[in-house]
């Protein structure tokens, strides 16, 4: 047997897998944190399981749809669109049939996705408003999870606010570590935002969350001075994500 052919097979398989997995590793925390918080606070119900599948495959579908819009060559992404569309559709339908009330969130998601699509068309996906739209989509899942469990959205509204403050702050912070590294004005914007987020959490939500947001402020103020690799930035943010999760579940 040709050893070159055998050696090439794993490489080919990895290449094919990469074609179906976005290189957006930080997105997974943004996807899973609101889901976990919503289910934990509202109480698990069986439709939460297909919701998770629809949420993850829906994200993958939207990612490649926006890539198709950005590239103006949708045929390049036909396999990904077909695979994730066929996976997401029945899962989303299962959730909607089990809890029709979740359809009330459809217009909100449609509007936010339209913002993402507009920025993809203009090839400006890194714009702050586009990032805020993505963060809002993720945080709305807290309300969706509560609706599935038959819990009032007012019960989980404080958690929604905390996650919105945290995740948008993370967008600013990560930019100071990678794409906006060395930009003093953007660093001031990030640190200023984190100061305001800390004040808002302490005064308007729960003072016990103060230490969590103080930690987030310190990482936003101090870490940009250090030269960290993207993987290190990601590992630190996973730790912060777990701290936020623990803080929300312990206080709210």
């Amino acid at each position: 047997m040709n050893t070159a052919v055998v050696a090439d097979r794993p490489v080919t398989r990895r290449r094919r897998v990469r074609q179906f997995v976005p290189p957006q590793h930080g997105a997974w925390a943004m996807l899973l944190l609101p889901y976990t918080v919503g289910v934990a606070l509202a109480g698990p119900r069986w439709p939460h399981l297909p919701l998770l599948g629809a949420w993850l495959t829906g994200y993958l579908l939207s990612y490649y749809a926006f890539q198709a819009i950005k590239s103006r060559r949708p045929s390049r992404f036909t396999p990904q669109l077909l695979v994730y569309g066929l996976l997401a559709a029945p899962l989303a339908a299962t959730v909607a049939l089990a809890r029709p009330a979740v359809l009330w969130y459809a217009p909100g998601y449609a509007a936010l996705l339209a913002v993402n699509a507009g920025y993809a068309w203009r090839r400006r996906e890194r714009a702050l408003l586009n990032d805020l739209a993505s963060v809002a989509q993720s945080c709305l899942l807290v309300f969706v999870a509560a609706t599935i469990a038959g819990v009032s959205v007012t019960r989980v509204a404080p958690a929604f606010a905390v996650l919105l403050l945290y995740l948008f702050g993370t967008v600013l912070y990560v930019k100071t570590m990678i794409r906006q590294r060395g930009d003093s004005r953007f660093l001031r914007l990030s640190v200023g935002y984190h100061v305001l987020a800390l004040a808002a959490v302490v005064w308007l939500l729960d003072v016990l969350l103060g230490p969590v947001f103080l930690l987030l402020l310190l990482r936003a103020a101090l870490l940009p001075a250090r030269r960290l690799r993207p993987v290190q930035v990601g590992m630190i943010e996973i730790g912060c994500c777990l701290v936020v999760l623990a803080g929300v579940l312990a206080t709210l």
Side-chain angles (χ1 to χ4, degrees):
M1 181 180 292
N2 190 324
T3 56
V5 173
V6 174
D8 185 57
R9 286 175 183 170
V11 175
T12 302
R13 292 194 196 100
R14 286 196 296 271
R15 189 174 296 128
R16 287 174 180 169
V17 169
R18 285 196 211 103
Q19 291 176 346
F20 285 84
V21 180
Q24 303 292 328
H25 307 299
W28 299 106
M30 186 185 295
L31 293 167
L32 294 174
L33 178 60
Y35 173 84
T36 304
V37 168
V39 172
L41 293 181
R45 303 290 189 276
W46 74 262
H48 285 139
L49 189 58
L51 173 67
L52 177 60
W55 179 237
L56 296 180
T57 55
Y59 159 70
L60 294 167
L61 174 63
S62 67
Y63 175 84
Y64 289 106
F66 297 144
Q67 291 297 304
I69 292 172
K70 176 183 175 180
S71 68
R72 317 294 203 264
R73 296 173 62 186
S75 60
R76 290 179 55 191
F77 302 97
T78 298
Q80 294 92 334
L81 295 175
L82 284 175
V83 168
Y84 291 125
L86 291 173
L87 289 172
L91 291 166
T94 300
V95 176
L97 289 172
R99 299 290 188 273
V102 299
L103 294 176
W104 284 104
Y105 299 100
Y109 275 105
L112 292 168
L113 287 168
V115 172
N116 293 149
Y119 278 103
W121 178 259
R122 287 176 282 175
R123 297 173 179 170
R124 294 184 55 211
E125 306 96 309
R126 303 300 177 183
L128 278 179
L129 182 57
N130 189 51
D131 290 332
L132 182 57
S134 298
V135 166
Q137 290 171 45
S138 291
C139 293
L140 277 176
L141 200 67
V142 174
F143 292 143
V144 176
T147 299
I148 285 176
V151 173
S152 171
V153 294
T154 58
R155 167 71 180 83
V156 297
F160 168 84
V162 169
L163 296 185
L164 191 65
L165 289 170
Y166 162 61
L167 289 173
F168 189 61
T170 296
V171 168
L172 296 176
Y173 155 70
V174 170
K175 285 182 183 293
T176 67
M177 299 297 293
I178 302 175
R179 295 182 180 275
Q180 301 292 337
R181 173 183 286 278
D183 187 331
S184 59
R185 290 182 299 178
F186 204 92
L187 177 60
R188 288 195 295 270
L189 172 64
S190 175
V191 173
Y193 171 86
H194 280 85
V195 170
L196 293 176
L198 171 60
V201 165
V202 170
W203 290 340
L204 301 177
L205 294 171
D206 196 316
V207 69
L208 295 178
L209 284 168
V212 173
F213 276 77
L214 178 59
L215 174 66
L216 298 176
L217 169 59
L218 291 174
R219 72 95 154 81
L222 300 178
L223 291 186
R226 301 176 63 86
R227 289 195 171 275
L228 300 178
R229 299 192 305 274
V231 66
Q232 293 174 306
V233 174
M235 293 302 294
I236 291 171
E237 206 51 39
I238 289 174
C240 289
C241 182
L242 294 175
V243 170
V244 171
L245 174 61
V248 168
L249 297 185
T251 58
L252 302 178

